Amino acid sequence: MTSRAHIAMFSVAAHGHVNPSLEVIRELVARGHRVTYAIPPHFAEKVAETGAEPKLWNSTLPGPDADPEAWGTTLLDNVEPFLNDAIQALPQLIEAYEGDEPDLVLHDITSYPARVLAHRWGVPAISLSPNLVAWEGYEKEVAEPMWEEPKKTERGKAYYARFQGWLEENGITMHPDDFAGRPARSLVLIPKALQPNADRVDEQTYTFVGACQGDRSAEGDWQRPAGAEKVVLVSLGSSFTKQPAFYRECVKAFGELPGWHLVLQVGRHVDPAELGDVPANVEVRSWVPQLAILKQADLFVTHAGAGGSQEGLATATPMIAVPQAVDQFGNADMLQGLGVARHLPTEEATAEALRTAALALVDDPEVARRLKEIQAQMAQEGGTRRAADLIEAELAAARG
């Protein structure tokens, strides 16, 4: 084993960015390393449960339970808060680690201060990516067209000038795009099956370790009701859950299907009363132990976030993907391309469309065969243990 080291992890307070890293952190602690985890207070308890020491800092980003509208609608609305937060977080983090500098930095893709700190401290930094990564040609094919208009605006120019200035102040000469999107080393916490253009990803930089799922029994269990021939779980994750009209369509689609049982997670922003009369075979919850249900479900209606997508694949559950934001549209297309899901845009996700897709998916032996194949491939990717092995290898190389 690599001798005991101090490893520092950095993330923002968002479920989809913290949760994927937790099992890797737990494994590093179990191997005897001292792990600190820089995180806003909302996640302190969750982080402490892994055995890591929370290093708390205050964030200016909308909280994990904020209304999705708090993030705005344009590309600049989405990216500016991360830069603003990074600039105000850096002095807090410098102070928190004064005299306690780590041997290695781990960071979520949204944690800009982590790369700055690793540079200041002269230690290696490894990105833990909870979603897809850039492939050779990504800039030309995706980033440049997406940024073409915003970069011409005064606001866009000001954003880049501010980002470049902040990096230069901290001795970093990289362009902001490369700094944010091109890590020196990255462990990708999604299955390779979910990565677009996987054959064009630089495997010297990026290693796909797949889903790092641990024991979820603390989240609670779920029992399949007697007489339920088919179980469908509907969940739009933790952020984009304010969709009462969509939930009503789900109730209509599955509530009248003989032998079907619907588990409907509506999140914190919807009152179950908004759903109207709910049949007896529909279970409405604000939160569910998702993995426990997926292990028993026949169908998963998901927003196709990276976490939900890979849990659907890991449990070999056919999916209807109803994406809401960011990378979910690409994930939905990937799942459909793999032959294990149907991509239904929210505005087309009527009761009739949901029911038609559901019945086609759950009775298709080819869908079941593809899911079993992908499940087997994922099991080979190594998950948590392989991630920890690779982190220890980077430590050993840095110390060598």
Side-chain angles (χ1 to χ4, degrees), residues 43-373:
F43 281 93
E45 200 176 319
K46 204 168 202 181
V47 160
E49 283 166 6
T50 65
E53 302 165 32
K55 291 253 190 188
L56 301 183
W57 58 279
N58 293 310
S59 173
T60 55
L61 292 173
D65 301 318
D67 190 311
E69 287 159 20
W71 286 99
T73 52
T74 68
L75 182 58
L76 284 164
D77 287 344
N78 294 160
V79 298
E80 282 173 344
F82 286 102
L83 179 60
N84 295 339
D85 193 48
I87 292 170
Q88 69 87 36
L90 184 62
Q92 297 182 57
L93 293 166
I94 290 169
E95 192 179 343
Y97 280 92
E98 185 86 41
D100 191 23
E101 290 81 8
D103 302 294
L104 179 137
V105 162
L106 297 177
H107 63 94
D108 179 71
I109 52 171
T110 55
S111 183
Y112 303 157
R115 280 195 89 176
V116 170
L117 289 166
H119 176 79
R120 288 175 70 113
W121 296 329
V123 300
I126 305 175
S127 152
L128 298 183
S129 180
N131 50 25
L132 64 83
V133 294
W135 54 88
E136 296 309 315
Y138 171 85
E139 284 77 8
K140 279 260 177 297
E141 294 161 31
V142 179
E144 284 174 24
M146 188 167 70
W147 274 99
E148 192 179 358
E149 289 308 314
K151 275 187 173 176
K152 290 176 187 166
T153 66
E154 286 309 308
R155 184 179 170 193
K157 288 175 187 165
Y159 168 78
Y160 270 96
R162 188 164 185 233
F163 206 149
Q164 190 83 58
W166 181 64
L167 292 177
E168 285 169 6
E169 272 170 36
N170 286 287
I172 294 173
T173 54
M174 292 173 84
H175 186 275
D177 290 347
D178 293 334
F179 175 83
R182 288 284 181 183
R185 184 77 177 95
S186 177
L187 303 183
V188 192
L189 310 180
I190 64 167
K192 201 169 185 178
L194 273 179
Q195 169 67 38
N197 305 302
D199 57 332
R200 287 196 273 149
V201 171
D202 173 10
E203 303 222 350
Q204 296 301 110
T205 300
Y206 300 100
T207 306
F208 289 87
V209 295
C212 296
Q213 291 165 353
D215 176 13
R216 299 274 189 85
S217 54
E219 292 183 358
D221 203 4
W222 183 83
Q223 292 303 317
R224 189 183 182 112
E229 292 161 33
K230 293 273 189 278
V231 168
V232 52
L233 169 63
V234 174
S235 168
L236 299 180
S238 56
S239 298
F240 302 96
T241 57
K242 200 176 179 180
Q243 295 286 354
F246 168 69
Y247 299 141
R248 285 193 288 271
E249 294 298 317
C250 292
V251 171
K252 209 181 297 179
F254 302 109
E256 294 159 18
L257 269 184
W260 282 64
H261 180 81
L262 165 61
V263 183
L264 180 60
Q265 175 181 287
V266 296
R268 294 164 185 264
H269 302 296
V270 172
D271 182 342
E274 293 178 68
L275 305 180
D277 288 334
V278 173
N281 66 329
V282 177
E283 187 181 328
V284 180
R285 308 257 211 109
S286 62
W287 182 89
V288 295
Q290 184 162 291
L291 203 55
I293 297 175
L294 286 177
K295 285 175 180 169
Q296 304 171 65
D298 301 280
L299 178 71
F300 184 22
V301 181
T302 170
H303 65 309
S309 299
Q310 67 186 15
E311 287 182 5
L313 293 174
T315 54
T317 311
M319 287 171 268
I320 297 175
V322 188
Q324 302 297 307
V326 290
D327 62 327
Q328 297 156 19
F329 299 96
N331 293 339
D333 287 339
M334 287 297 293
L335 291 168
Q336 181 162 284
L338 291 169
V340 300
R342 296 280 186 282
H343 176 178
L344 266 187
T346 307
E347 60 279 8
E348 293 173 27
T350 61
E352 191 179 347
L354 287 163
R355 192 181 300 160
T356 303
L359 295 172
L361 283 163
V362 299
D363 291 330
D364 188 335
E366 181 57 19
V367 170
R369 188 192 69 75
R370 287 292 297 130
L371 280 163
K372 287 289 176 206
E373 203 174 88

